[in-house]
Amino acid sequence: EVQLVESGGGVVQPGTSLRLSCKASGFDFGSKGMSWARQAPGQGLEWVASASASGGNFDSLDPKRFTAFRENSKNTLYLRIHDLQAEDTAVYYCVIGWKTITGTTGQGTQVTVSS
């Protein structure tokens, strides 16, 4: 059974950084590009960042603030977010696939940016 379990969210202050994790199981993690997507209140799902299967290629909505990276030995995908802003408040999901929001996702982790 394919499972994606996101963690690391919480209530954080503006300007701080955060690292989210996504533990994967039930598929060949190292052979799949992986992505992060987010859904803000009242909004649709938005692509945030991706890491290629090998981890050698990356892309993100804002490379200065969002970095997706992975440890294939641990079947884990990460998202580092710098300089968190109120508009980053959302549920963050990891997604199987490169630069996609339509693949299999986990249950998400809530990030709330508030002073």
Side-chain angles (χ1 to χ4, degrees):
E1 178 188 3
V2 172
Q3 281 197 319
L4 299 168
V5 180
E6 299 93 338
S7 62
V11 179
V12 295
Q13 293 194 337
T16 60
S17 297
L18 194 64
R19 190 186 77 171
L20 306 180
S21 300
C22 171
K23 178 69 172 177
S25 61
F27 65 103
D28 186 4
F29 179 77
S31 70
K32 301 290 188 182
M34 295 292 294
S35 298
W36 285 95
R38 67 183 180 183
Q39 187 165 26
Q43 305 293 316
L45 206 55
E46 175 186 39
W47 173 77
V48 175
S50 295
S52 64
S54 68
N57 291 315
F58 315 91
D59 199 2
S60 77
L61 195 63
D62 182 352
K64 292 182 180 178
R65 296 207 302 121
F66 299 100
T67 304
F69 60 103
R70 62 196 293 166
E71 287 187 273
N72 286 348
S73 63
K74 296 182 178 180
N75 281 10
T76 302
L77 175 74
Y78 302 97
L79 178 69
R80 175 76 72 181
I81 312 173
H82 297 284
D83 191 22
L84 279 151
Q85 305 298 315
E87 55 264 35
D88 295 321
T89 294
V91 179
Y92 285 74
Y93 301 90
C94 63
V95 188
I96 299 176
W98 169 256
K99 295 187 74 171
T100 181
I101 61 171
T102 60
T104 302
T105 67
Q107 84 292 342
T109 186
Q110 175 73 48
V111 174
T112 302
V113 184
S114 173
S115 56

